[in-house]
Amino acid sequence: MTNFARSSGILTVGLLALALAACNSSTSAVETKETAQKAAAEKTEKTDQQAEGETADGQATLAAEGTAEIAQEEEFAKVINKPGKVKNRGGYIKILVNKNPITNFDIRRRVNFLKLRRARGNHTKLAEKELIEQKIKLAEARSRNVLATDAQVDAAFANFAKGNRASPSQLATELGRLGVGVKHFKEFIRSQISWQRAVQGRFQAETQQVSERDVVTRLRKSGSTKPEVTEYNIQQIIFVIPENKRNNNTLAVRRKEAVAFRQRFTKCEDTIQQAKALRDVSVVDRSRIMEPELPLRWKEDIVNIDGNGTTRVKETERGIEIMAICGKRVVNDDHAAKLTTQSDEFASFNEKGSKLSEDYLAQLVSRSIVVYQ
């Protein structure tokens, strides 16, 4: 038995750190007043007999109709209590969140996870709140097309295992022993990654609403000059790996090909011809990208390259990639001014992110239908 398996101390600390770092949003958004729940129950008592035998979809519809008067305050979700009769993989459905089920099995898993994180309070109620919010977050991320893929979740899980001096299989075994389960934990990871993307996307969209003219006007009023920004012409070279063929062996082979490609690289004009000699290699021209627009994973590498050249190879969700710098220049036009201003706003995201996340979640919860069965 390994040191990891002998003691869950390292795992406990690691899980606690991850959970506290990731779960910044308040769970109070789904808390409703006892009077609201009582009123919901009384309002639907007469319809229970008629609703007997209806599907979960029908129950959710009743929730929408029967609780419209209750959810007058926007911070509250529409909540209803109904007797549950639907089974799902051996576990009873306890809660429906916009028709998405949460089973008693899910709740038990989350209770164990909360205990592992040493959360205080009624673990069952806390588990229900977290799972309700998780369903809402995942649905929003899916609608915005920013849902984390299985490959991204697996990569995050592997990194987490490595940080706890364990292999993914060892971590999976330990999570099973602790009553959390690898599937439950990975879905938690997926929700955190996806929700962060959704919040960042919303913040970015709001920030980008400021026009170039507004930015230039502000600069003139403040007496400031337009900032100088480096503009890049870049080629993105992708050694494609389909998700169904992604494994350690394939990654190693493609990485070796990418390293060899980089060593042979001389200039961007020859890149496409060089790529034609290889299988499943894509070359994407990305011209006029200003420094604030550079992808974060590549920014440091690109900025630190003198003249033209290539970055180090990196593993991405698409496969193995290289960025080739084909040219750069310094500009100070209106577009550069706007991007610099936006970049400054984005830099403050960590300070504003928690409040933005809470407000965003509260808005989504206020439009949700939660059915307790």
Side-chain angles (χ1 to χ4, degrees):
M1 185 178 293
T2 64
N3 292 332
F4 175 81
R6 281 199 297 268
S7 172
S8 64
I10 295 174
L11 175 61
T12 302
V13 173
L15 284 171
L16 181 62
L18 173 67
L20 293 179
C23 297
N24 289 326
S25 59
S26 171
T27 59
S28 62
V30 296
E31 292 181 0
T32 60
K33 296 178 181 178
E34 291 182 1
T35 55
Q37 292 189 0
K38 183 178 180 181
E42 292 174 353
K43 191 172 185 66
T44 58
E45 184 176 358
K46 295 180 180 180
T47 63
D48 281 347
Q49 293 180 351
Q50 298 175 358
E52 185 175 359
E54 289 186 355
T55 62
D57 286 357
Q59 293 170 353
T61 302
L62 283 173
E65 297 173 350
T67 59
E69 297 177 4
I70 299 169
Q72 294 178 356
E73 298 182 51
E74 288 189 352
E75 66 267 30
F76 295 143
K78 297 180 179 67
V79 178
I80 188 170
N81 291 292
K82 290 190 68 63
K85 298 180 179 180
V86 184
K87 287 187 177 181
N88 182 19
R89 295 183 181 179
Y92 286 97
I93 293 176
K94 301 290 290 184
I95 304 172
L96 286 169
V97 184
N98 298 322
K99 302 181 183 180
N100 295 310
I102 297 172
T103 68
N104 59 339
F105 183 74
D106 297 325
I107 294 170
R108 286 200 303 270
R109 291 290 199 189
R110 187 53 57 98
V111 165
N112 292 334
F113 189 23
L114 286 163
K115 289 178 180 178
L116 192 60
R117 288 151 52 192
R118 300 174 185 173
R120 295 181 180 180
N122 185 314
H123 287 150
T124 299
K125 293 298 182 185
L126 288 174
E128 290 176 355
K129 292 173 188 175
E130 278 198 2
L131 289 169
I132 289 170
E133 290 187 348
Q134 182 169 302
K135 290 290 185 183
I136 292 172
K137 290 175 179 179
L138 288 170
E140 178 67 6
R142 189 176 290 107
S143 70
R144 286 180 168 268
N145 200 29
V146 293
L147 190 70
T149 65
D150 289 344
Q152 291 163 349
V153 172
D154 289 343
F157 183 80
N159 287 335
F160 182 75
K162 184 178 180 180
N164 283 282
R165 301 195 295 274
S167 67
S169 61
Q170 287 175 317
L171 177 58
T173 299
E174 187 69 0
L175 286 168
R177 186 185 70 81
L178 294 167
V180 176
V182 64
K183 183 178 180 180
H184 187 88
F185 184 57
K186 283 187 175 182
E187 199 64 5
F188 171 81
I189 292 175
R190 190 191 308 278
S191 70
Q192 302 308 318
I193 296 174
S194 303
W195 179 244
Q196 184 181 36
R197 291 175 178 175
V199 175
Q200 288 176 337
R202 183 183 173 102
F203 177 68
Q204 184 175 358
E206 291 176 353
T207 303
Q208 288 178 339
Q209 289 178 358
V210 179
S211 68
E212 293 177 3
R213 180 179 296 179
D214 292 336
V215 171
V216 173
T217 300
R218 291 179 191 174
L219 289 173
R220 287 173 179 169
K221 286 183 178 180
S222 65
S224 302
T225 58
K226 295 178 185 178
E228 293 185 341
V229 179
T230 302
E231 179 186 85
Y232 293 87
N233 289 327
I234 295 172
Q235 283 183 339
Q236 184 178 10
I237 306 157
I238 309 168
F239 290 74
V240 180
I241 302 176
E243 189 169 339
N244 62 346
K245 295 183 179 179
R246 194 183 189 99
N247 54 55
N248 291 336
N249 182 58
T250 306
L251 285 167
V253 171
R254 299 254 72 181
R255 181 179 290 275
K256 186 176 179 180
E257 291 176 343
V259 170
F261 187 99
R262 185 188 179 206
Q263 291 172 344
R264 296 193 304 271
F265 175 86
T266 54
K267 55 184 179 180
C268 291
E269 290 77 6
D270 298 335
T271 305
I272 294 178
Q273 192 62 35
Q274 187 177 340
K276 286 181 178 179
L278 299 170
R279 184 179 179 182
D280 294 333
V281 177
S282 299
V283 179
V284 182
D285 286 317
R286 301 191 178 279
S287 59
R288 296 210 62 188
I289 296 181
M290 296 190 186
E291 187 173 322
E293 297 177 297
L294 293 173
L296 289 178
R297 70 171 64 166
W298 297 102
K299 186 172 184 178
E300 184 177 355
D301 285 18
I302 291 172
V303 170
N304 289 333
I305 292 176
D306 292 328
N308 298 345
T310 61
T311 65
R312 295 170 296 172
V313 301
K314 289 191 179 184
E315 178 184 336
T316 71
E317 61 275 9
R318 289 173 290 270
I320 302 295
E321 297 187 33
I322 309 169
M323 290 288 188
I325 291 77
C326 306
K328 58 184 178 180
R329 62 172 183 159
V330 176
V331 297
N332 64 343
D333 56 19
D334 291 356
H335 185 56
K338 178 184 177 181
L339 287 177
T340 301
T341 301
Q342 289 176 349
S343 180
D344 293 340
E345 286 288 328
F346 296 154
S348 67
F349 177 76
N350 288 338
E351 298 176 8
K352 302 176 182 178
S354 180
K355 181 65 166 59
L356 286 168
S357 176
E358 291 175 5
D359 292 345
Y360 189 6
L361 180 60
Q363 290 176 16
L364 295 175
V365 169
S366 72
R367 300 197 296 263
S368 297
I369 301 170
V370 179
V371 182
Y372 288 87
Q373 301 193 114

